[in-house]
Amino acid sequence: MSRVASLYTMCPDAAAAERTVDALLSAGARREDITVISSEPFDRYEFGQHEKSRFMPWLVVLGAILGGTAGFLLVSLTTESYPIVTGGMPITPGWITGIITYELTMLAAILTTLLVLLLTAPLFRWKQEPYDVQVADGKVLVGINPQGDLPDKVKEVLKVCEDGAGGGIER
Amino acid sequence: MTTTPDQIKHDLINHDVINHDLLRPVGQASARFFLVVAMLGLVVLAGFSAWGYQLYSGIGVAGIRRPVFWGFYITNFVFWIGISHAGTLISAILRLANAGWRRPVTRCAEVITVFALCIGAMFPVIHLGRPWVAFWLVPYPNERGLWPNYRSPLVWDFFAIDTYLIGSITFLILPIIPDFALCRDKFSGWRKTFYGLLALGWRGTQRQWHRLETAMHIMAIVIIPVAVSVHTIVSWDFAMTPVPMWHSTIFAPYFVAGAIFSGIAALIVAMVFLRRFLHLEEYLPSVCFENLGKLLLLMSLLWVYFVFAERLTIWYGNQPAEVAVLWLTQKGPYRYLFWIMVACNFGIPFPLLAIKKLRTITGTCIASITVVVGMWLERYLIIVPSLSRKFLPYAWGTYRPTWVEITITAATFAGMALLYVMFAKLVPIISIWELKVGMREASESMPSVVAVSKARPTVSERSEHETVGFKNSHRVGKP
């Protein structure tokens, strides 16, 4: 057993990355410690599946409802706060309230989508490990950030998977 | 090490070649680029000077007079908002439809949306006599307790355009983030730092990819009704007013259809120039133009349908004020503009787009240029004749644009081109990662990838693939 902060190998393609991840799991690594980094999404592979979650659309719906409520209140409360003469017409017509409510519902949905992406992706975390610029050339990085001691067998797996295209780092 | 079929497929998508081809315009700037920027910049400068002159002298230097209070400025406003429908709407529809040929097109289109919206949104401000109070449209708490009049369609415009602009910028930025990361990894020096900041710490973990794709899917769903609402509301600026030929229920769909029509045309023109000047022939294949040409043909037919439906109803209704405006445009002093518009929007594009032999890149480009001209004329003919001939004779008048309005109008076209050129210099104009995904999917769907890999096509063979369709025109690396 040895203590490492970050260890990775570069795989030539997604299929090789999948095999590496399977080997790591078989060697005793925990799935949540394994990171797979690529220059394009690989939805159909097993390693991309466990990151999926279905909460994002529901958060957007929630944001949209809040935005719509804010739009409705903005129109209804502000027009009532300074009631101008409308010649007997309603001060807050439903048609007009609907337009503003609709636009602010959509605006809130857009902003919520952006916010959820930034927070859950997560972004704005510069210089996170592991990373290798060879990802830009189409290589797939399989790395491991162990929370505790790393079994030597896991390191062996990464060394075996190494095809010479990339280099593992150990810190 | 044994080469697996997966490895062969992976090698077919030559990342080095794609990265090199699509990052080349970002990394280099030729003398021609600076010359173009300088020329366009001069026209934009002239436009700002004209606006400055108008601010100094007053709105009277423009040609807008009673009763024609809306002239070139509002024509430009409607026109540019229409052009903005090129990107986000088309891109979102194609994304949701999972059209494979969309991949090289989407970013070119989304950029048009953002810049056209920015330019379009400037015109109500330019049109104001006192533009420094434009912020009064914004609903904010103030000491007098005054709020915008929500009954005004101009306030609806404010909400709709702002929502669309924020949505379009988000829709444009999201798929650029991985390409910024690519630029960060491929460039050095200040560029590395610059793109590193723009990449927002993107690494490409599977979680990031999943969140990004989900966000883009949600955005594609949300942005379509927003885009429709924007031009609907712009049409209501007119339709809510009892002015001859404006007060019509057909205006909303008519405007939306016209916006998509002009948007597709602008997109094709932009793509032709990008293809030519950035040497992106392999990445913007003819099939993209052919498919967009078909869409343009469809919208041309739809446009004719709306024009006929609108005019037939007015003619049959025989309301004197409405019929007066109708004949003003068809037989009166605006007849030349009207028939040029019909020729530009239907007469010329229809044969060019309907006949397969003519639906080439050149053919679709010519058709698109005429459509852009025709749609600008359409906006002009909707606004000016109706205002110049209202219900009572004391509200009749004429409109002639002044040099100030013409200069500002020319500057907006130059400004659009300038922004586009600058953007293409800073950001890969084709979404690189999406292109790679498309190529990988195409290679995975090939019947016998091993057979193909053994007989790697030459450059000439690749061009044959192009004629078949983009799905089969994958880049196979260096022969």
Side-chain angles (χ1 to χ4, degrees):
Chain A
M1 303 282 269
S2 61
R3 178 88 181 170
V4 295
S6 180
L7 196 67
Y8 73 86
T9 186
M10 299 304 295
C11 300
D13 55 46
E18 178 114 298
R19 288 192 297 274
T20 307
V21 171
D22 290 344
L24 284 173
L25 291 172
S26 302
R30 298 190 309 163
R31 183 174 283 281
E32 54 268 32
D33 293 342
I34 298 171
T35 306
V36 181
I37 295 177
S38 57
S39 62
E40 57 185 284
F42 289 107
D43 293 335
R44 282 189 285 177
Y45 289 87
E46 175 63 23
F47 60 75
Q49 298 295 321
H50 75 284
E51 294 289 0
K52 288 192 175 178
S53 57
R54 300 188 187 281
F55 66 87
M56 201 166 172
W58 293 109
L59 284 176
V60 173
V61 169
L62 182 66
I65 291 169
L66 290 175
T69 309
F72 177 80
L73 292 175
L74 175 73
V75 179
S76 53
L77 295 181
T78 57
T79 47
E80 292 291 343
S81 73
Y82 196 99
I84 60 172
V85 177
T86 55
M89 300 292 282
I91 292 172
T92 316
W95 301 96
I96 283 136
T97 310
I99 291 170
I100 307 294
T101 303
Y102 171 82
E103 292 299 338
L104 289 186
T105 302
M106 292 305 191
L107 180 62
I110 291 162
L111 294 176
T112 310
T113 305
L114 186 62
L115 192 67
V116 172
L117 170 73
L118 295 178
L119 293 178
T120 64
L123 295 176
F124 295 113
R125 293 186 188 178
W126 281 272
K127 297 189 177 174
Q128 271 204 318
E129 294 291 348
Y131 189 71
D132 194 305
V133 292
Q134 287 184 81
V135 169
D137 298 325
K139 304 277 184 201
V140 182
L141 183 151
V142 178
I144 187 157
N145 277 314
Q147 299 302 313
D149 289 335
L150 191 67
D152 290 335
K153 202 175 169 188
V154 171
K155 288 176 69 178
E156 287 301 316
V157 167
L158 289 174
K159 279 180 184 164
V160 169
C161 293
E162 186 64 55
D163 69 334
I169 59 162
E170 191 172 333
R171 290 193 291 114
Chain B
M1 191 174 166
T2 311
T3 305
T4 63
D6 287 324
Q7 173 70 60
I8 294 164
K9 283 176 191 173
H10 189 265
D11 287 347
L12 285 172
I13 307 158
N14 195 320
H15 287 256
D16 283 342
V17 176
I18 296 171
N19 291 347
H20 173 266
D21 286 354
L22 296 179
L23 291 181
R24 180 174 32 81
V26 181
Q28 297 172 354
S30 62
R32 187 170 63 176
F33 166 75
F34 289 110
L35 185 67
V36 168
V37 167
M39 286 168 62
L40 293 172
L42 276 177
V43 182
V44 172
L45 194 65
F48 274 109
S49 304
W51 188 24
Y53 175 70
Q54 180 183 292
L55 287 173
Y56 179 76
S57 308
I59 194 77
V61 298
I64 40 180
R65 301 275 186 282
R66 184 183 172 279
V68 186
F69 289 116
W70 288 0
F72 262 36
Y73 295 150
I74 301 301
T75 301
N76 287 328
F77 165 67
V78 180
F79 172 77
W80 283 112
I81 298 293
I83 292 288
S84 75
H85 279 58
T88 305
L89 189 62
I90 296 164
S91 169
I93 291 169
L94 293 178
R95 272 182 202 281
L96 290 177
N98 203 20
W101 60 272
R102 78 171 196 278
R103 295 179 192 279
V105 175
T106 48
R107 188 167 299 158
C108 304
E110 289 156 11
V111 179
I112 293 180
T113 293
V114 172
F115 292 149
L117 261 182
C118 292
I119 291 171
M122 280 173 61
F123 275 102
V125 179
I126 294 173
H127 179 75
L128 288 177
R130 289 182 293 162
W132 47 89
V133 295
F135 69 94
W136 284 2
L137 269 175
V138 183
Y140 67 97
N142 57 77
E143 61 186 10
R144 291 173 295 171
L146 286 171
W147 294 88
N149 183 359
Y150 296 104
R151 296 166 198 81
S152 165
L154 296 178
V155 175
W156 309 346
D157 273 336
F158 170 78
F159 282 95
I161 291 173
D162 284 353
T163 301
Y164 191 41
L165 183 59
I166 292 169
S168 299
I169 292 172
T170 307
F171 198 54
L172 171 69
I173 293 291
L174 291 185
I176 293 184
I177 295 172
D179 283 346
F180 279 146
L182 178 71
C183 293
R184 172 197 65 199
D185 293 343
K186 285 290 169 189
F187 291 134
S188 57
W190 68 267
R191 281 197 178 96
K192 189 177 185 70
T193 312
F194 177 67
Y195 289 111
L197 287 171
L198 293 176
L200 306 177
W202 177 271
R203 288 193 298 156
T205 63
Q206 297 312 297
R207 172 179 289 191
Q208 285 181 332
W209 280 118
H210 177 254
R211 298 292 186 274
L212 180 74
E213 289 202 307
T214 308
M216 282 168 56
H217 195 72
I218 292 170
M219 283 300 302
I221 294 168
V222 170
I223 208 74
I224 292 172
V226 172
V228 170
S229 78
V230 171
H231 227 66
T232 298
I233 287 174
V234 169
S235 80
W236 288 343
D237 290 343
F238 302 90
M240 296 294 158
T241 318
V243 168
M245 287 194 74
W246 282 9
H247 197 53
S248 161
T249 54
I250 207 173
F251 252 41
Y254 177 31
F255 267 53
V256 173
I260 298 170
F261 185 33
S262 60
I264 295 170
L267 172 61
I268 292 173
V269 174
M271 282 172 54
V272 168
F273 279 95
L274 286 175
R275 189 178 194 272
R276 170 76 180 81
F277 291 108
L278 298 183
H279 306 292
L280 298 175
E281 288 84 357
E282 277 196 81
Y283 298 93
L284 291 171
S286 55
V287 69
C288 293
F289 294 90
E290 188 173 344
N291 288 341
L292 284 172
K294 285 176 189 167
L295 275 177
L296 195 67
L297 175 65
L298 175 72
M299 297 315 297
S300 176
L301 293 170
L302 200 60
W303 179 84
V304 167
Y305 162 73
F306 273 118
V307 170
F308 182 76
E310 183 207 23
R311 289 180 177 259
L312 174 71
T313 314
I314 286 166
W315 173 79
Y316 203 86
N318 204 23
Q319 296 288 321
E322 302 238 336
V323 173
V325 176
L326 177 73
W327 293 134
L328 200 63
T329 53
Q330 291 193 204
K331 294 195 293 192
Y334 295 100
R335 64 184 181 282
Y336 297 115
L337 291 180
F338 178 81
W339 292 110
I340 289 171
M341 173 191 78
V342 173
C344 285
N345 285 346
F346 183 72
I348 298 169
F350 184 78
L352 285 174
L353 300 170
I355 300 168
K356 192 171 168 55
K357 272 190 179 177
L358 298 178
R359 202 167 52 233
T360 58
I361 294 175
T362 311
T364 51
C365 182
I366 294 168
S368 301
I369 290 171
T370 64
V371 168
V372 170
V373 173
M375 285 309 294
W376 192 92
L377 288 175
E378 192 225 35
R379 306 319 193 185
Y380 182 82
L381 288 170
I382 285 173
I383 294 167
V384 174
S386 291
L387 286 176
S388 64
R389 191 66 68 96
K390 289 188 192 166
F391 290 97
L392 296 173
Y394 70 79
W396 291 356
T398 54
Y399 167 74
R400 281 191 191 284
T402 63
W403 68 268
V404 175
E405 291 161 295
I406 293 168
T407 309
I408 291 175
T409 301
T412 59
F413 284 89
M416 180 71 195
L418 180 64
L419 289 168
Y420 209 87
V421 167
M422 299 286 280
F423 183 88
K425 232 357 116 185
L426 283 172
V427 180
I429 198 66
I430 291 175
S431 181
I432 297 174
W433 69 270
E434 287 187 276
L435 195 75
K436 288 175 182 172
V437 171
M439 289 180 170
R440 177 167 52 81
E441 287 175 359
S443 72
E444 283 171 355
S445 66
M446 288 165 71
S448 176
V449 75
V450 178
V452 171
S453 70
K454 281 178 182 169
R456 290 187 169 190
T458 60
V459 173
S460 60
E461 284 168 339
R462 282 211 299 267
S463 63
E464 281 174 22
H465 282 291
E466 274 189 56
T467 59
V468 176
F470 180 67
K471 198 174 179 184
N472 295 329
S473 72
H474 56 278
R475 184 70 183 245
V476 290
K478 291 167 188 168

